[in-house]
Amino acid sequence: MADTVLVTGATAGFGRAITERLIHDGYRVIGTGRRAERLEELQQNLGEAFLPYPLDMMDRDSLRTLPEELPEGWREVDVLVNNAGLALGMGPAQGADIDEWERMIGTNVSGVVEITRALLPGMVARDHGHVVTIGSTAGTYPYKGGNVYGATKAFVSQFMRNLRTDLLGTHVRATNLEPGLCGGSEFSSVRLGDDEKAADVYRDTHPILPEDIAETVAWVIGLPPRVNINRIEMMPVCQASGGLAVVRGLD
């Protein structure tokens, strides 16, 4: 039987592209998300190899009971793709909305930790599995307004490093994928709350697209079991880290 992959945030952007690519490659995919109607649409398009599973990444109880709640025949998850995540706001920390901070922490940190902890024991018991998490270059390079979003992705980066160390001696793999400027998703629209402002983020650029992320995930999980890709940082050619900034004239 083909490996079973669980993709969080499968209803749009990276998650949808990853789901479609892996189905095409012959995997069975459990797609999660809060928008049940989008999951049903995916099932209609992708067929029996796709299992829609409505799930809120901030619902701790549902995440903890996930392995037992999955339908018979789908409970042995071979690959977890921690894709669900979000950024909210671009203002400075001193003026930020604390509720937005909490939502980012709840989704990007707590949600990732909870679902990984729920599925990891089964992978270790079977001595077969792979955890792939979508991090961000924001976890490495600070920028104005990045504050808590960047901090959540820095957590993810270190969590995955430590996970890899804990898994040493097993055949369970762990990979952190850290994209830079990415278009073709709802990310900036959600963050800025304005489609026009979101379009300005990508104006006159050629950003990474969801299919590029899907291609990378497919490559990582398709490598021979002896190979673990610890971390991949990827940016479009129109982007690079900007170096340190200096403000002049301060006393």
Side-chain angles (χ1 to χ4, degrees), residues 1-250:
M1 182 181 291
D3 275 2
T4 298
V5 184
L6 190 147
V7 179
T8 66
T11 56
F14 296 173
R16 184 174 185 126
I18 292 166
T19 296
E20 292 173 341
R21 171 58 189 269
L22 296 185
I23 293 282
H24 178 269
D25 287 355
Y27 294 91
R28 303 193 315 156
V29 177
I30 304 165
T32 79
R34 290 181 297 120
R35 292 173 288 192
E37 69 284 355
R38 289 199 180 186
L39 293 174
E40 294 298 333
E41 176 205 343
L42 270 174
Q43 186 182 43
Q44 291 173 12
N45 293 335
L46 298 175
E48 293 182 357
F50 178 77
L51 175 70
Y53 194 88
L55 184 68
D56 185 339
M57 293 302 291
M58 293 184 68
D59 184 344
R60 184 175 64 182
D61 292 338
S62 293
L63 293 171
R64 291 188 177 184
T65 59
L66 176 64
E68 307 91 71
E69 296 297 329
L70 288 170
E72 196 70 40
W74 291 87
R75 292 177 182 171
E76 293 189 355
V77 174
D78 301 291
V79 181
L80 167 63
V81 181
N82 280 317
N83 165 72
L86 79 164
L88 298 170
M90 281 292 293
Q94 61 270 27
D97 182 332
I98 191 67
D99 290 334
E100 291 185 344
W101 278 9
E102 292 291 349
R103 187 176 168 200
M104 284 187 281
I105 294 168
T107 303
N108 301 354
V109 174
S110 299
V112 167
V113 167
E114 291 282 358
I115 198 166
T116 301
R117 178 61 181 82
L119 295 175
L120 196 61
M123 295 183 185
V124 172
R126 295 186 297 273
D127 199 25
H128 173 72
H130 200 153
V131 179
V132 180
T133 299
I134 308 298
S136 172
T137 55
T140 303
Y141 308 106
Y143 58 88
K144 287 186 176 181
N147 43 69
V148 166
Y149 174 69
T152 65
K153 293 304 184 178
F155 174 92
V156 163
S157 180
Q158 192 62 24
F159 176 60
M160 294 301 292
R161 287 190 184 99
N162 282 283
L163 195 63
R164 175 72 193 111
T165 300
D166 287 346
L167 292 169
L168 187 63
T170 77
H171 290 96
V172 180
R173 301 186 285 179
T175 301
N176 192 37
L177 177 58
E178 303 173 8
L181 183 69
C182 295
S185 75
E186 299 174 348
F187 179 85
S188 290
S189 295
V190 171
R191 183 172 205 173
L192 301 174
D194 185 302
D195 289 344
E196 188 172 339
K197 289 180 180 178
D200 284 339
V201 173
Y202 308 104
R203 196 175 307 281
D204 299 323
T205 70
H206 294 284
I208 291 172
L209 296 175
E211 52 261 41
D212 303 320
I213 303 301
E215 172 74 22
T216 307
V217 171
W219 174 71
V220 164
I221 69 174
L223 288 169
R226 66 179 180 273
V227 180
N228 189 90
I229 301 299
N230 299 333
R231 171 180 175 267
I232 296 179
E233 179 182 290
M234 54 191 296
M235 295 182 182
V237 295
C238 64
Q239 184 182 36
S241 57
L244 298 175
V246 174
V247 175
R248 304 184 187 278
L250 291 178

